[in-house]
Amino acid sequence: MARAATGEQYLERLNPAQRAAATYGEPGSAGTVSAGPLLVIAGAGTGKTMTLAHRVAHLIVSGVAAERILLLTFTRRAAEEMNRRVETIVREATRETPLAPGALRLDWSGTFHAVGNRLLRQFAGNLGLDPGFSVLDRSDAADVMDVVRDELGFSNERRRFPRKDTCLAIYSRTVNTGDSLEAILEEAYPWCAEWQEELSTLFRAYVLRKQSRQLLDYDDLLLYWQYLVAEEDFAESISAGFDHVLVDEYQDTNRLQARILNALKPDGAGLTVVGDDAQSIYSFRAADVDNILGFPDQFMPSAKVISLEENYRSTQSILDTANRLIAESERQYKKNLFARDRQGAKPRYVTVEDADGEALYVVSSILENREAGTALKEQAVLFRSSHHSDRLELELVRRNIPYVKYGGLKFLEAAHVKDLLAILKWADNPQNEIAAFRVLKLLPGMGPRRAKRCFLGLEAAGFSFEGLRAFKPPTSAAESWASLLDLFTGLEASAGTETGWQAGVTAARNWYRPQLERLYDSSDTREADLEQLEQVASRYPTRERFLTELTLDPPSVTGDQGNGARLDEDYLVLSTIHSAKGQEWDSVFVLNVTDGNFPSEFAAGKPERVEEERRLLYVAMTRAKQDLSLLAPLRFHVVQQPPGGDRHVYGARSRFLSDSLMQTLETKFYGTAESPDGLFPGKPSRSIDAASQALSRW
């Protein structure tokens, strides 16, 4: 068992609350740490990641084997960052008595979906799965849904039947919440309610199609994991492999994930969850804030709750506004964020005439900040919905101000990247119908009917690629067809090997190159993306690992983010608030802080939705370090208006900006004055009590 030769110096950088969370539990025998269920409420900017990393490191330093720690995150990047920090902390703590090589490796650190994928492959036989099953990304899953939708004849309905993406969203929400289809349709998709029976038929056929082709979508990775641990003996077997289970961003978990954790650690022993109920803003992804709010009751009376309140990001003035906002929430863990010795200026509440005035104010303020020494990269404009920045983007282009807008095209959504990956996916799983159709339609003259006939021939041949030799392709595709069969013969031979499989990626690229040049413009640029993909592949031991992990956590392509801003030395950041979570900037501007946007008009009449909208505004506020501006247009131009209308509607102050909260803000108006100074010379300075006179009439 490793002990820190330097005492607990590695914990000295933590404040008292962080240290209490990191060291919670009692040392046991044979390198164990006994700890009950722990909930760490980590307010915005309070050092959540550092605290969780120190907790994991403390467990290892105290003797817990790293391979017996399960660390669950929501992104691969977060897992990698956590691993890096843990290794640094442990090396510092044990530098006089170093751990053995490999003892620092967190073998079971990753996203819920990545860990679920690993477990399902190990227990595939028990679940009736082929260990070589393929994982569908959202786009491919929607395509499978579309194929089944068409086969059932729903695409020919005279009335509008939900499209594939909507069908997949309904299916996914039903799976992740555990609610009935009827309840999901009533709550989130009322216009689809008339199709409930047909949707149920569609979803059953979708599940059967995936099962017949050994395909799992994102939701299946959690669903099958939950099926596995719902059986007590399997749950005990998996749980016995982990002394401690730690979960980051617990407020973002859905009911399915909560059931998995409860099955693994039914008494909460060794379970640590970290999150902030005030930052729960992903209900549209089926995240359930009740998971974190109900944690103490679930593990009563043994649950321990530790709150982190010292903020290292924002000034106290910004925190005063954010604290006042969230204090008026109906359900929450009470906390009061504070900053030491950083008072700062009050946030601004700026009313402007309209969207044009809003854009002008933001741009002029950004340029003033830049002249004062705040780089464009350290400034961000945040908004409720992506289209809210339309006017601003036009003004940025006019002023030649470079910007990046977050939420752009994902790497795997680029058509040429999907083409190359489809070749590898079909080779990895010959039953992958969606990948097969994409590859076959790359060939000249190969339409949907021929592609379907070809795939049926493969199925009749027991899904052996050699069986495709009998298929007669179109004359224009004969040369490419012969080389494609040779390619698949080679890829099939290298399946599952840990050496040389990357050569198959090169071979696939070589076959695909003439198709790329024939099908797409800018082939040189696209070829560079494929070269990058091949370099990424070289870091994975097997083709299955490469395809699965890339599908579960796809990177973004910087070149697809809009306007070449990253070629500039500096650029402004535009982002939806949902995409900005976890980020921070010196100066933050929040657009359209009016009723109907905060909260959204679509949340009206639903108290739980209104409260999530409050949390969304809270997240926006707490991204700011030094300077915060809330913009409120007085009127919004509309495309259509009743006859005689003036083509605009008036905005009202957000209901979240109560009178007490407004006292924490500096208020100002930016725009054209209706009556210029000097128009009425000799204007009296005394006040008139108009309010009392108006009341005296009643």
Side-chain angles (χ1 to χ4, degrees), residues 253-450:
T253 55
N254 58 41
R255 294 179 195 171
L256 194 54
Q257 290 162 325
R259 286 199 293 270
I260 290 170
L261 293 171
N262 188 52
L264 289 177
K265 297 295 178 184
D267 60 355
L271 178 61
T272 297
V273 299
V274 181
D276 182 9
D277 56 299
Q279 297 186 68
S280 178
I281 59 174
Y282 292 118
S283 66
F284 65 93
R285 296 180 186 168
D288 191 345
V289 69
D290 284 338
N291 289 345
I292 192 168
L293 291 174
F295 187 89
D297 293 336
Q298 181 181 358
F299 296 107
M300 187 181 294
S302 57
K304 174 74 172 178
V305 179
I306 298 176
S307 294
L308 308 183
E309 297 180 309
E310 183 171 355
N311 180 283
Y312 296 93
R313 174 189 300 156
S314 306
T315 63
Q316 188 60 52
S317 294
I318 292 173
L319 296 178
D320 288 342
T321 302
N323 285 335
R324 192 69 58 88
L325 172 69
I326 207 65
E328 297 173 2
S329 178
E330 295 181 358
R331 294 181 65 203
Q332 59 165 310
Y333 289 101
K334 296 292 184 182
K335 53 185 171 297
N336 190 59
L337 300 184
F338 66 93
R340 296 186 188 275
D341 306 320
R342 302 194 316 278
Q343 183 59 40
K346 280 186 174 183
R348 286 176 295 278
Y349 176 73
V350 185
T351 53
V352 295
E353 291 179 341
D354 51 23
D356 288 331
E358 185 177 54
L360 290 172
Y361 174 81
V362 170
V363 170
S364 62
S365 299
I366 286 168
L367 292 176
E368 287 177 12
N369 291 343
R370 182 173 179 271
E371 290 302 312
T374 303
L376 293 179
K377 287 182 182 179
E378 294 303 321
Q379 303 183 65
V381 183
L382 308 182
F383 29 85
R384 175 67 179 78
S385 300
S386 182
H387 68 274
H388 287 173
S389 67
D390 290 349
R391 297 290 182 89
L392 174 62
E393 291 181 57
L394 291 174
E395 186 64 19
L396 291 171
V397 171
R398 191 178 74 82
R399 301 279 196 101
N400 196 29
I401 299 175
Y403 68 90
V404 167
K405 187 172 182 179
Y406 283 98
L409 187 65
K410 294 290 186 183
F411 188 62
L412 296 190
E413 292 171 0
H416 54 291
V417 175
K418 288 182 70 69
D419 290 344
L420 182 58
L421 287 174
I423 297 171
L424 300 174
K425 288 179 179 180
W426 193 18
D428 202 57
N429 178 7
Q431 299 181 58
N432 190 330
E433 186 175 12
I434 298 301
F437 272 54
R438 188 175 191 100
V439 173
L440 291 171
K441 287 191 288 185
L442 291 174
L443 298 167
M446 183 74 82
R449 291 184 179 178
R450 277 198 173 109

Side-chain angles (χ1 to χ4, degrees), residues 71-84 109-115 248 411-412 533 536-537 539-540 544-556:
L71 175 61
L72 296 166
T73 65
F74 274 82
T75 67
R76 184 171 61 182
R77 182 178 300 175
E80 291 172 349
E81 171 66 11
M82 196 70 67
N83 291 352
R84 185 188 64 77
S109 171
T111 66
F112 273 92
H113 293 92
V115 170
D248 192 16
F411 188 62
L412 296 190
L533 186 68
V536 172
R539 300 200 295 265
Y540 291 86
E544 178 274 314
R545 283 280 298 278
F546 165 65
L547 293 172
T548 300
E549 295 196 23
L550 199 65
T551 300
L552 293 178
D553 194 8
S556 293

Side-chain angles (χ1 to χ4, degrees), residues 168-235:
L168 184 64
I170 296 171
Y171 169 83
S172 181
R173 194 178 182 92
T174 304
V175 169
N176 285 288
T177 62
D179 290 336
S180 67
L181 176 59
E182 180 181 11
I184 293 299
L185 293 176
E186 180 180 354
E187 175 191 357
Y189 301 90
W191 69 271
C192 299
E194 64 175 305
W195 300 107
Q196 180 180 333
E197 184 176 343
E198 290 84 352
L199 285 170
S200 181
T201 300
L202 172 63
F203 296 159
R204 178 176 177 81
Y206 171 66
V207 171
L208 288 171
R209 177 60 60 91
K210 288 186 297 177
Q211 291 175 349
S212 69
R213 302 296 188 223
Q214 289 298 312
L215 304 172
L216 269 65
D217 60 26
Y218 285 169
D219 301 319
D220 290 329
L221 296 175
L222 298 181
L223 190 63
Y224 279 66
W225 186 2
Q226 193 269 324
Y227 292 156
L228 187 64
V229 296
E231 304 297 325
E232 188 174 346
D233 50 346
F234 285 99

